[in-house]
Amino acid sequence: MTAPDVLLGRLLDLHPKRIDLSLGRIQRLLTSLGEPQRRLPPVIHVAGTNGKGSTIAFMRAVLEAAGLGVHVYTSPHLVAFRERIRLAAPGGGKLVSDEALAEALAAVEQASAGEPITFFEATTAAAFKLFADHRADVLLLEVGLGGRFDATNVIDAPACAVITPISIDHVEFLGDSIAKIAFEKAGIIKAGAPVIVSAQSDEAVAVLEREAARQGAPLSLYGQDFLCRAERGRMVYEDESGLLDLPLPRLAGRHQLVNAGTAIAALRRCLPDLSFAAFETGVVKANWPGRLQNIGRGRLAALAPKGAELWLDGGHNEAGARVLAEAMADCEDKASRPLILLYGGLQSKDAAGFLRHFVGLAAEVFALPVRGEQAGRPPEQVVAIARSLGLKAESCSGAEEALRALARHDSPPPRILIAGSLYLVGEILAANGTPPE
């Protein structure tokens, strides 16, 4: 059997563009595959700019704690493509095997018959085939980009739609305002299906409310219909059905309370009989690699200064930087350390908007290259941007060089944050020897 990597490489060549938002091509391909999207378990469809993966991680952990079988589709991957597809299994879902993935990709390649299809469309079709061919109780389905014309939006009747916080990102595809981006995200709202909306700006809420009303979709808003907060070392969730007094999530950062609350609201709406014990276990067990992940072991971790903290996060836009800076400030309040930011981002992202949140917080910025198929911003550009904001900055050939340089400094053990791109996170996890599972 042809290896998955070979098949994935061939699928990359079936369309001249990496991204070309449309539903026509995938609908044609799914028809050739026998309409697997019509044989799926109940779908919880998740769109948004930030927090999609963490919200899905909370839902998966709760559902599996309740003994339910859960399929999961997320993107992008960090180290290996098969991270994107998790299949339900006794005792908890497992990443798709190379053999099963290769079989599904081969079926897609044959069904496509050489017709133009983007990589994400082809791989989404393969995921749908896998999900249709393996039993589960729920499918947690993450939008790839936008919503309205995303390849996942061939689902006609989801159990519910979830929309996580919306901010400015991917303006070349979705528009240059919150209202335009919210309009694209609102495309996953379907007639009569409940919509759970996380914390949003007023501008985004107005757009989502209009679309929900047009579709006759019951709407639940964070801060109005449900809320989650930290209180006395616990997490308190509240909605019209009452309170849940739960442990704090293992996932770090204040923003994870919002993601956890959104996940709980969606599950209480779609599966009202879930037990308290499932929520209690799930919020603690939820794990989402590369999102404020503390790296304590591994090859790169060993290069850091003795006693240093090493954190890793794939946040790459201005809103992501804001919550990262808040999290680092919270860490500083608990235990004071100099913060060192190792930043590497894509050319298409707003480096100044990201770095601005670390002015007065980061003692120094090390600019790293982002390697791979995406166009990384040259470290020299990052240094110039950082210095223009008043940040001390220098460029490095990679995280290893930066960590070795820090280890030579005669200073207190620092708190080190590596951030700016999920592609950079993938590089770090692979180099450290700690791939996601």
Side-chain angles (χ1 to χ4, degrees):
M1 180 178 289
T2 307
D5 287 347
V6 174
L7 290 160
L8 290 166
R10 294 207 295 246
L11 291 174
L12 272 170
D13 296 331
L14 292 179
H15 196 285
K17 294 182 180 180
R18 190 66 186 272
I19 298 173
D20 184 13
L21 298 178
S22 168
L23 294 179
R25 291 183 301 270
I26 191 168
Q27 286 169 335
R28 171 190 57 76
L29 177 57
L30 290 170
T31 297
S32 298
L33 284 169
E35 305 278 6
Q37 80 279 17
R38 301 191 185 283
R39 296 183 283 112
L40 300 174
V43 173
I44 298 179
H45 202 183
V46 184
T49 306
N50 294 309
K52 297 189 297 296
S54 296
T55 301
I56 285 174
F58 281 117
M59 289 193 285
R60 176 172 76 87
V62 171
L63 290 167
E64 290 185 343
L68 298 177
V70 187
H71 291 332
V72 183
Y73 186 56
T74 55
S75 62
H77 60 274
L78 297 177
V79 178
F81 179 87
R82 64 192 198 93
E83 296 165 32
R84 299 184 182 209
I85 301 171
R86 186 178 293 270
L87 298 177
K94 305 294 183 186
L95 299 184
V96 63
S97 67
D98 284 339
E99 294 76 15
L101 177 59
E103 184 178 344
L105 292 172
V108 166
E109 184 179 45
Q110 182 178 8
S112 69
E115 291 291 320
I117 190 85
T118 69
F119 179 80
F120 185 73
E121 290 164 351
T123 52
T124 298
F128 283 160
K129 176 172 171 50
L130 286 162
F131 296 145
D133 291 346
H134 294 79
R135 187 195 169 280
D137 299 296
V138 180
L139 166 58
L140 303 176
L141 181 66
E142 180 187 353
V143 165
L145 179 62
R148 189 168 304 276
F149 296 110
D150 183 76
T152 64
N153 203 28
V154 293
I155 305 301
D156 296 325
C160 76
V162 177
I163 301 181
T164 65
I166 294 170
S167 60
I168 299 293
D169 204 1
H170 299 294
V171 295
E172 66 273 36
F173 300 106
L174 305 179
D176 58 1
S177 71
I178 292 293
K180 289 177 182 176
I181 295 170
F183 176 76
E184 295 303 324
K185 308 288 186 187
I188 71 165
I189 298 174
K190 300 295 168 59
V195 188
I196 310 301
V197 175
S198 189
Q200 305 287 356
S201 66
D202 292 343
E203 190 176 6
V205 168
V207 174
L208 300 173
E209 284 182 327
R210 281 198 301 271
E211 184 62 16
R214 191 179 75 83
Q215 294 282 3
L219 186 70
S220 295
L221 293 172
Y222 186 91
Q224 180 175 311
D225 300 298
F226 65 97
L227 185 64
C228 202
R229 65 184 183 275
E231 190 173 295
R232 298 179 182 178
R234 301 279 291 177
M235 181 176 76
V236 177
Y237 171 87
E238 183 176 2
D239 63 18
E240 62 182 8
S241 299
L243 293 172
L244 294 177
D245 182 1
L246 299 165
L248 287 171
R250 179 173 63 170
L251 292 176
R254 279 183 264 169
H255 58 293
Q256 294 296 1
L257 293 174
V258 176
N259 294 332
T262 304
I264 294 168
L267 294 179
R268 277 163 72 97
R269 188 60 187 258
C270 294
L271 293 96
D273 295 330
L274 286 173
S275 68
F276 173 79
F279 289 108
E280 189 174 40
T281 300
V283 297
V284 175
K285 292 187 70 174
N287 181 47
W288 191 228
R291 280 72 173 184
L292 270 179
Q293 181 176 354
N294 187 237
I295 305 294
R297 297 179 182 177
R299 194 180 71 82
L300 288 183
L303 299 178
K306 186 176 181 180
E309 292 179 13
L310 184 58
W311 296 86
L312 190 62
D313 194 278
H316 54 269
N317 54 35
E318 189 274 338
R322 185 180 66 252
V323 298
L324 277 178
E326 287 175 351
M328 291 295 101
D330 287 343
C331 288
E332 174 67 12
D333 288 343
K334 294 174 183 175
S336 183
R337 292 170 177 258
L339 175 64
I340 308 298
L341 175 63
L342 276 56
Y343 173 87
L346 300 186
Q347 188 73 54
S348 59
K349 303 302 179 183
D350 180 6
F354 189 101
L355 294 171
R356 190 173 292 116
H357 288 278
F358 291 89
V359 174
L361 184 62
E364 189 170 3
V365 175
F366 286 81
L368 310 182
V370 179
R371 301 179 177 88
E373 59 198 50
Q374 298 292 319
R377 185 180 293 277
E380 296 76 16
Q381 284 188 16
V382 174
V383 169
I385 292 168
R387 289 175 178 171
S388 74
L389 294 170
L391 288 159
K392 181 183 178 183
E394 62 180 277
S395 63
C396 280
S397 62
E400 183 170 333
E401 180 187 344
L403 292 171
R404 289 186 187 278
L406 288 170
R408 292 192 295 268
H409 285 189
D410 184 18
S411 59
R415 179 171 291 117
I416 304 167
L417 172 64
I418 305 177
S421 166
L422 283 169
Y423 299 98
L424 177 63
V425 165
E427 290 178 31
I428 298 300
L429 288 174
N432 194 55
T434 51
E437 296 180 358

